[in-house]
Each structure stands twice: as C-alpha cells, then as structure tokens.
Amino acid sequence: MPLYIKDDAIDRLARRYQALTKATTKTEAVRLALQKALDEELTKPALADVAVAFCRNLKQKAIAKSVSADIAGEI
C-alpha cells in the first residue's frame, strides 16, 4: 500500500528522519518514527500508577517530617 505525503513540511521531516536513521525509503523512515513513538507511549506509566507513587512519596515525607518533629521535641 503506497504512502502519499501531501504536506511539504511533513515530507521534509520524513526526508530528514530518513537521512538521520539511514532508512532505505521515506516509508521506512515513517514506519520507524511511528514505531518509536508507539513504543514510547506504551512504556509510559499509567496515570493511576503515577498518582499512587506521588501519594506514597508524599506520605513518606509526612512521616519523616513527623518523626523529626517528635525527635526535636524530645531534646
């Protein structure tokens, strides 16, 4: 199936990427770029995981601050 790039700016980007990656064709360069973008998106942590990690980190900081305040009160 042929790939037609009708936008000159996109064509220039594809040609630049082709040259940088030494892809044999623009189609191969576009495939490589799309695969790389998909791989990056798929390896990003889920938003829920980011939120859980943030909450855990915040809780650890609060506990550490509470413990140091308790120690300072004992001195």
Side-chain angles (χ1 to χ4, degrees):
M1 176 180 297
L3 173 67
Y4 297 108
I5 299 175
K6 297 176 183 177
D7 184 302
D8 290 339
I10 303 299
D11 185 64
R12 284 191 298 274
L13 287 171
R15 287 185 187 280
R16 286 181 63 196
Y17 196 78
Q18 178 184 1
L20 287 171
T21 60
K22 296 179 178 40
T24 56
T25 63
K26 276 194 300 182
T27 300
E28 178 67 10
V30 171
R31 187 192 68 74
L32 290 170
L34 289 172
Q35 187 64 57
K36 181 178 179 181
L38 281 171
D39 291 345
E40 288 173 3
E41 286 299 317
L42 292 172
T43 58
K44 283 183 181 178
L47 186 55
D49 295 334
V50 172
V52 167
F54 175 79
C55 291
R56 284 184 180 143
N57 186 21
L58 193 60
K59 184 177 180 181
Q60 288 173 348
K61 287 180 180 180
I63 290 170
K65 190 172 186 178
S66 175
V67 168
S68 66
D70 289 345
I71 292 172
E74 292 177 7
I75 297 176

